[in-house]
Amino acid sequence: MFAYKLDDDIELKPLSMEHTGALYSLTDKSRERLREWLPWVDNVTEETHTVQFIKNAIRQAADNGGFTAGIWVKGELAGVIGFHEIDWHNRTVGIGYWLGKVHEGQGIMSSACRALVDYALLDLDLNRVEIRCATSNHRSRGVPERLGFVLEGIIRQAEKLPLGYVNHAVYGMLQSEWKLLR
């Protein structure tokens, strides 16, 4: 994985152990907002949980299965974005992401996601990128919609969150489509 500057203020950098405190702090500060959409938030109750997450991310990158990057805004950790496990046989990958509340609504995630889609479809020569999010998570759904992804369908009760089951919107982008959009 690379460090990638999106602009003068925003950079993607792979997570490392030195980011443990910053990542745990951001997760903790964003807990109430994140738990509405992410099932793992209630299980991150101490820094050791963040250590394990980062270790898993480092292992996944070393195994060529994907990566997880911090989104840094003016040197401050603002969120996380990454590939779920890359399916090299089918040449597909999913992207997951989240931002701390204070950084929402500034176009940061759309820029970060655009960079990962470029990397997946152009640099890694994958054929397909998928983004799934709760149908009622309008901010998250806005990212693939702004980038031109196709809404391929709705999966009913796809994920159990603290407040109950949610449906997932499934968005897809093919390499051939992305090349036309770029």
Side-chain angles (χ1 to χ4, degrees):
M1 169 54 189
F2 56 95
Y4 185 82
K5 288 188 74 68
L6 299 177
D7 62 28
D8 289 341
D9 295 330
I10 305 169
E11 183 177 20
L12 304 179
K13 295 189 289 192
L15 289 176
S16 67
M17 297 311 296
E18 70 187 59
H19 302 136
T20 300
L23 181 55
Y24 178 75
S25 178
L26 180 62
T27 303
D28 199 44
K29 288 180 200 170
S30 306
R31 186 174 304 283
E32 284 308 308
R33 174 81 170 128
L34 295 177
R35 78 183 300 271
E36 186 176 359
W37 307 117
L38 300 171
W40 52 262
V41 173
D42 287 346
N43 296 322
V44 179
T45 57
E46 54 190 59
E47 273 194 26
T48 58
H49 298 133
T50 302
V51 166
Q52 192 57 51
F53 171 76
I54 293 173
K55 283 182 179 179
N56 289 340
I58 292 168
R59 185 176 313 110
Q60 181 185 19
D63 292 342
N64 201 28
F67 65 87
T68 304
I71 303 169
W72 300 84
V73 178
K74 296 181 180 177
E76 175 187 345
L77 184 61
V80 174
I81 189 167
F83 290 154
H84 300 302
E85 188 71 29
I86 296 172
D87 177 344
W88 288 105
H89 175 76
N90 291 305
R91 308 207 58 76
T92 65
V93 71
I95 295 177
Y97 48 80
W98 64 270
L99 275 176
K101 184 173 176 59
V102 69
H103 299 286
E104 292 178 351
Q106 300 171 40
I108 295 167
M109 193 54 73
S110 292
S111 294
C113 197
R114 183 178 294 108
L116 260 66
V117 174
D118 272 347
Y119 185 64
L121 298 178
L122 304 178
D123 296 339
L124 297 179
D125 196 32
L126 298 179
N127 183 58
R128 174 184 160 77
V129 172
E130 182 176 285
I131 296 175
R132 293 182 181 209
C133 41
T135 55
S136 53
N137 187 344
H138 301 291
R139 284 191 180 275
S140 188
R141 289 186 70 176
V143 173
E145 290 170 359
R146 278 188 291 281
L147 296 177
F149 277 62
V150 174
L151 175 61
E152 297 176 334
I154 304 296
I155 301 174
R156 299 176 306 144
Q157 295 188 4
E159 184 174 44
K160 185 177 182 191
L161 297 174
L163 301 177
Y165 285 95
V166 295
N167 298 339
H168 273 187
V170 179
Y171 292 90
M173 177 63 70
L174 302 178
Q175 183 187 70
S176 58
E177 297 166 336
W178 189 248
K179 286 180 177 179
L180 291 174
L181 290 173
R182 299 302 286 156

